Amino acid sequence: ASFPPRATHGVLSVGGNDAREAFVHTMRTDRVYEYMVGEQKLVERYQKLVVDLLERVPRLVLVVVYHPLITMFPFRWMLPPAGVVESLLGKCYPMYLDTAKKFNLPIVDLSRTFNPFDEEDYGTSPIEPSNRSGNYIAKLCKLAIDDMESCEVSQYRAKIYSGEIEAGNPSVEYVDEFSAPTYVESLRQWKAKCKAEKATCTVS
C-alpha cells in the first residue's frame, strides 16, 4: 500500500469483493467461506495486510463490510439470498474480531449500521453506498479516530462502533468484551429492527 509520507491514520475495508468473487463459484455459505479462506487465503492476507499497514501508520481502523440491500432479485447483482449473506457475515466476523483483539484496533461495523431494507442507504446498486450511508462511514471512522487520539496508543482500549450515527446514538462496545456469537445475535436483532422501521415508514 502507498501512503503519503506524513500519514498518521489508516482505514481498512476488506471482504466485500472477495465474497463477490467467491459467489461466482457457488452460492452455498459453507462453500463460499471455504473458497475465501482456502483458495483466496483471506485470513492470512488480511492479517499480513494489517501488519504491513501498522508499519506505515500508527493508528488503523478496521471496517466490517455492510450487508447488501435486500432485493427481490439478488442474482441480478451476483448476490446470494439474504440468509446466505447473514450466515457468511457470521462466519467471517471472527477474522475482524480476532485481528482487532490481537492488535488492539477499533472496528467500524457497517453490517450493523446500514439498513438492508432501505434503498436510501444504497447507491445505484445494492452493493454501493449512497451519499447518506457514506456519511455513516465517515462519522463512525471519525468517532473511532477521535477516541484513539484521546489517549496514548499504549493506553487505548479498542472499541466497536456501529448503529445510528446519524441520530447521534451509535452503539459502542469494547472489542475485548465482544464475541462472534454475540455478533450473530446482534446482527439478527439489528436486521429485525431495520425491517420493522422500514415497514412502519412504508405504511405511513
Side-chain angles (χ1 to χ4, degrees):
S2 177
F3 282 88
R6 295 184 181 180
T8 57
H9 300 78
V11 177
L12 177 62
S13 178
V14 169
N17 289 332
D18 299 274
R20 289 196 69 207
E21 179 187 330
F23 291 148
V24 173
H25 299 273
T26 180
M27 291 289 182
R28 284 181 50 180
T29 309
D30 55 344
R31 296 277 179 83
V32 169
Y33 184 70
E34 287 172 5
Y35 182 85
M36 292 173 71
V37 300
E39 297 294 323
Q40 295 178 328
K41 307 291 184 187
L42 178 64
V43 177
E44 293 91 334
R45 287 169 42 227
Y46 187 68
Q47 294 241 343
K48 182 179 185 304
L49 183 56
V50 168
V51 170
D52 290 345
L53 290 173
L54 288 174
E55 291 177 353
R56 293 166 170 79
V57 291
R59 302 182 189 271
L60 181 65
V61 179
L62 308 180
V63 178
V64 175
V65 296
Y66 50 84
H67 194 301
L69 176 67
I70 295 175
T71 72
M72 293 289 290
F73 306 104
F75 297 109
R76 176 184 175 190
W77 307 99
M78 293 174 57
L79 292 170
V84 173
V85 173
E86 180 180 310
S87 180
L88 185 61
L89 283 167
K91 286 180 177 291
C92 290
Y93 200 82
M95 177 184 76
Y96 301 107
L97 190 60
D98 292 346
T99 303
K101 289 179 177 179
K102 181 176 180 178
F103 297 100
N104 193 34
L105 299 175
I107 293 175
V108 166
D109 186 350
L110 300 181
S111 69
R112 294 182 294 150
T113 300
F114 283 38
N115 183 338
F117 298 94
D118 190 345
E119 296 89 346
E120 296 299 316
D121 276 0
Y122 298 84
T124 56
S125 79
I127 56 175
E128 296 176 7
S130 64
N131 289 338
R132 184 172 79 177
S133 56
N135 281 328
Y136 302 164
I137 300 171
K139 288 181 178 180
L140 285 173
C141 286
K142 184 178 186 304
L143 183 59
I145 289 169
D146 286 348
D147 269 0
M148 284 192 289
E149 290 185 336
S150 68
C151 62
E152 296 295 325
V153 174
S154 60
Q155 297 175 328
Y156 176 69
R157 186 181 177 194
K159 301 173 185 174
I160 304 169
Y161 307 84
S162 63
E164 301 176 61
I165 184 67
E166 284 292 280
N169 187 34
S171 171
V172 180
E173 301 142 313
Y174 284 107
V175 165
D176 58 11
E177 295 179 354
F178 205 67
S179 69
T182 302
Y183 165 76
V184 171
E185 180 58 30
S186 179
L187 176 62
R188 289 173 181 164
Q189 291 174 359
W190 171 254
K191 289 177 66 179
K193 176 178 179 293
C194 289
K195 186 175 183 179
E197 288 178 351
K198 180 59 178 175
T200 302
C201 291
T202 301
V203 170
S204 61

